[in-house]
Amino acid sequence: MRIPILRLGRILLTSVQTDLTDDDAGQLQAEVLQLFHRDVADGLVLDISGLDVVDSYMARLLNETARMVRMMGGEVVLTGMHPMVALTLVEMGQEIIGIQTAIDLEAGVARLREVIHARDKRTTQGRTTP
Amino acid sequence: MRIPILRLGRILLTSVQTDLTDDDAGQLQAEVLQLFHRDVADGLVLDISGLDVVDSYMARLLNETARMVRMMGGEVVLTGMHPMVALTLVEMGQEIIGIQTAIDLEAGVARLREVIHARDKRTTQGRTTP
């Protein structure tokens, strides 16, 4: 099952509304990175309100995706995390360090715009690799 | 295949990125109407950039969904229509009369906000049934 990725100007939105197979998650990661590679976006809001549980594979994938996007000059905000998912991630020691989070998609888009704005102010050359 | 519906504040976003079966389209319509019934949204941006072709069933469904949403007090903006889809709709006589359109999702969200704002100005009681 392909998860649609929506483009709102230079922000990508994607919402995981059901539990994902490992293949689905891998495909989503590949598509997101492809879009950043094609330079169609400055950032990604990844809504995971549909994830009731995460396993270590998914946690690693979330972490890695965010890190890769930032390597490519983008920013990621994670939204809609269930309490149980937060609990699991912390217990696994897989806290999503370095990923901005927000309560829902609207807050996530606002947060991402702030992050991108702050980043663009820091550099005059546009994109910067952290 | 379930099409995710994203909520950006009181705006619903949904993007059809592959050709739909009749069942998928029917399910999407039912979910959209359910969300308006639960009063979680003022409007819907329906992105159909993934539709390369439409048949008469899909055309009727798009028309009907927009009309139903408006009956329930919401507004719809259709975005990303392919030239071939526009051509087919006009040839079938299924012009999407009464649906606002916009070139892409970002323009669609802006358009929808204008429409909702204009509507709310016309009535002091909030929602109005056309």
Side-chain angles (χ1 to χ4, degrees), chain B residues 66-84:
Chain B
R67 232 175 275 145
M68 288 183 218
V69 166
R70 286 168 69 193
M71 291 276 286
M72 295 170 84
E75 304 288 342
V76 177
V77 174
L78 204 64
T79 66
M81 192 186 291
H82 276 219
M84 278 308 290

Side-chain angles (χ1 to χ4, degrees), chain B residues 38-92:
Chain B
R38 281 168 44 206
D39 191 25
V40 297
D42 293 325
L44 165 73
V45 181
L46 177 56
D47 181 75
I48 56 166
S49 55
L51 283 188
D52 290 328
V53 287
V54 288
D55 58 13
S56 59
Y57 175 82
M58 188 66 69
R60 203 175 60 240
L61 197 93
L62 284 173
N63 260 319
E64 280 179 5
T65 307
R67 232 175 275 145
M68 288 183 218
V69 166
R70 286 168 69 193
M71 291 276 286
M72 295 170 84
E75 304 288 342
V76 177
V77 174
L78 204 64
T79 66
M81 192 186 291
H82 276 219
M84 278 308 290
V85 171
L87 184 82
T88 313
L89 289 174
V90 170
E91 282 189 349
M92 285 195 301

Side-chain angles (χ1 to χ4, degrees), chain A residues 4-5 7 9 17 105-106, chain B residues 2 4-5 7 9 17 105-106:
Chain A
I5 301 171
R7 266 183 72 188
Q17 301 195 334
L105 207 64
E106 190 178 30
Chain B
R2 209 178 136 260
I5 301 171
R7 263 183 72 186
Q17 300 194 334
L105 207 63
E106 190 178 29

